[in-house]
Amino acid sequence: MTETGRFSKAKNDPNSSTISLVASALQVACREVDDPNARLNGDDVSGQQPYNPVREELLDAMNSATGDAPENNVTANYSGSTCTDSVASEGNQNNFGLDEKCLAAGKDSGTLDNNPKENKDESENSPFEVVRTAVSNTDDASIPSMTFRTHILGVFFVCLISFVNQFYWERDNPIALNLLIVQLLCYPMGVGLAWVLPKRTLSFFGYRWTMNPGPFTIKEHVLISLMANASAFMALTVDVFAVLRLYYNPSFPLWTALLLLLSGQLFAYSLAGLTRTLLVIPAPMIWPSSLINASLFRTFHESPLFGNALTENEESASRPSGFNSDATERHATGKSAMKQQLQKARVYFTNMSRTRFFWVCFACSFAWYFVPGYFVQVLSTVSVICLIAPNNHLANMLGDGKQGLGLLAFSLDWSVFSNAFLNSPIATPFWAACNLFIGFVLVFWIALPIAYFNDLWGSARLPLYSAKVYTLNGTEYNIARIMRSGVFNEEAYNEYSPLRMALEFSWVYGIGFAALMSILVHIILYNGKEIISRVRETKAKHDDIHGKLMLQYPPVRAWWYLVMLIASCATGISVGIGAQIGVPWWGYMLSFAIAIVLVVPVGIIQAISNRQPALSIVAELLSGIVLQGIPTGYSILKLYGHGSLAQALSYSQDMKLAHYMKIPPRQVLLYQGIGIVISVIVQTCLFFWLIDHIPHMCRAEGYPWVCRSTNLVYSASVIWNLIGPLKVFGEGSPYSPLLWGFLFGLVLPVPVFLLQRRFPKITWLKHVYIPVILSGIVGLPPMPPIDFPMWFLFGFIFNFIIHRYWNPWWQKYNFTLSAGLDSGLALSGIFQFMVLAQNGLKLNWWGNQIDRQCPLSSKPWIT
């Protein structure tokens, strides 16, 4: 069967699960566009075209979903001619395994049998196969997008995501609601509003409008999601003001934080807008992660089966091997009642609609979190070794899941499994989870205890695991002893003590150096030729079908973004200097320059390879050199330098999603801008309110409000800006060997690349990814050690065992399960805080005395 035939069957057959199932879009997109080796530059040993999981596994998934047997010769109809996707004897092959002759026609580069009624020239499609599989090449400009429902749900989700993410960010096990959660929650709410809102047309000063223009549309869904996603990562930048308020200036005013944070976010958004002609509009700038979301949007709105029970064929396929309801009923005699009930429950949960399954998961998660979150808080981290030997120092250090190695520790708290540091284990491809866990085991469970108990760099005189900074004798570093008038004093520093860090904390920087270089080398080896060719193609393939369809909508003028850029920079400098933060005007200009210079090259890398180089260490190193002695300089450079760069690329990715979904650009600007303003106000005000109303905020005594990330930012400001990298990592420092991480990062990806080229048929070798292995350790600290094994365990169960042996169930419910558990936990935690904790309703008993499991784990091995 041809590709066109498969797509036609998937669309017209009501029993097909290719497009109707959420996971059919998400699983293919997550596994394939994120596959680090999806574009190996080289030929197979058999002489065939390069291995490409984006193409091969996508077609395999479609074959299995439609019941077709895999074919060795896959053909597609391109502009009336047949192009064979097998071994090509003539013509050049592009990076997606398609004959260049099939793409040479420019605008007539390919077609899939989409909706011919909506597209006059259905032969025109994207020149890239991975885009064609996920994005429609049609548009209907009459579809409502900016409606009353969009306003209401957009503001609701912005406030919800902003509040929840900031609220949990300061807790011991933070969680984060993201775009996927919004997509899943927004759809049933939008459909519900379409049912209940009145359809009567109203008139307001001559403008006629209605609350309910009809069915909930895909463009409304996209706009709401983009508006909410503008607040998804704001908590990271709020940390810089938390540090100023808690450690450097207790009287730091709320209005200053609001204006600085707003200027930083608008500066990032203006960068994304000014670079849209380079990073968003060109067809070669694919932004693979956006394809996942585009697939899910289409799954909701183009599938007749969403929210319904499985069809008869799907129900049969979803049962485990050997399971048959009729046979079960006939042979029930002799079986225990328990087995019969289990089988009935299995049938019930197999036939349940996704909407009902979501609410079941939501209710269970909401109710269960009262157990580890309120009634028996020790269940959040159960340290088995500590329970066996609570007074043994070594056992405490090995078994503590918070401040030790976390060996044999487990948790019954979903916020440990799905945390803000690693995100949901269900949404992470299993190959990536394996890479991350390998790095964790090698460094944290093997290398760290060996080095620590052998007193490497005097580390045994400090705690095993901590994000704090210490003196030579192991006491917490008192920055007031080395500061005069708010800046570093050399003489006072020499009289006090050099800075020391816990061993794992110091390793984080060395591994971070290696991770930065390794991802750059990896991108050059695996994606270098493709990036060069895409950049060269940018002008030629600027006007693909998606760009042409967007021409019917009024564009956003470049000078709008330029005015926003100038205004945000001027606001940041004037407010910062007026508030006497301590950073000179050229420090702000340096921060702006870092983001402006790097946004295009880093954006091109991410748009093509789906990987963003970890440039935070570069920004920290630069700020430590030029702003040494000014600790507040770290906050400013973090906000306007690295923070704005990361946010700008996030906004660019959202703009690309809007481009794929044919959302009018001016509507995108309006909704994202409103989302930014609302999220800044909600998150900043919430954090300042928490500081004023929670005793011992960001201290161990204030559990669960321990602010792991905020304390890490404070320690980093001391290391990089107050004392400076030349003293901490320079000659004579025990941490100077960590600078070799730059060299190791350059070398490590090369042998793996050569082995993959030499043995292309070894499946597991194709998924070894050095940057991912290294990046998993960079989050330790601030992440609690127990989070890693629990996260991997849940991912192994669902993304390996259930995915392999009960795949139809996995396809239908896997991501819905994650969304339901995350949402239920989030609202349960807020309810417990607002209704119980704020009214003094606390339970003081041994089940809530979490610090008594491992009382000796925080003490140094050598005292």
Side-chain angles (χ1 to χ4, degrees), residues 169-170 234-244 687 709-710 713:
W169 186 246
E170 312 305 336
M234 286 285 297
L236 297 172
T237 50
V238 174
D239 277 340
V240 301
F241 300 108
V243 170
L244 292 177
F687 183 78
S709 178
T710 301
V713 173

Side-chain angles (χ1 to χ4, degrees), residues 17 108 139 153 205 379 384 387 431 491 505 623 682 740 805 820:
S17 61
D108 297 325
D139 179 38
L153 291 179
F205 292 104
L379 294 180
V384 177
L387 295 176
W431 66 264
E491 182 179 351
F505 188 19
S623 72
V682 170
W740 286 98
Y805 298 106

Side-chain angles (χ1 to χ4, degrees), residues 251-268:
S251 61
F252 188 75
L254 172 62
W255 70 268
T256 302
L258 282 171
L259 290 177
L260 288 176
L261 188 55
L262 182 60
S263 68
Q265 298 305 306
L266 293 179
F267 169 70

Side-chain angles (χ1 to χ4, degrees), residues 32 48-63 71-72 74 85 96-97 129:
E32 278 68 5
Q48 297 179 351
Q49 55 191 314
Y51 172 79
N52 193 328
V54 176
R55 173 184 174 278
E56 300 294 340
E57 297 189 25
L58 178 59
L59 296 180
D60 290 343
M62 291 176 177
N63 280 328
E71 301 177 18
N72 295 326
V74 181
D85 220 10
F96 291 94
E129 182 184 25

Side-chain angles (χ1 to χ4, degrees), residues 15 19 63 111 148 188 213 269 280 348 373 451 494 502 505 562 593 609 613-614 705 777 779 790 827:
N15 295 324
I19 299 180
N63 280 328
T111 180
F148 178 79
Y269 191 77
V280 176
Y348 175 77
N494 294 331
F505 188 19
L562 185 59
S609 68
W705 304 96
I777 308 301
M790 292 297 98
L827 296 187

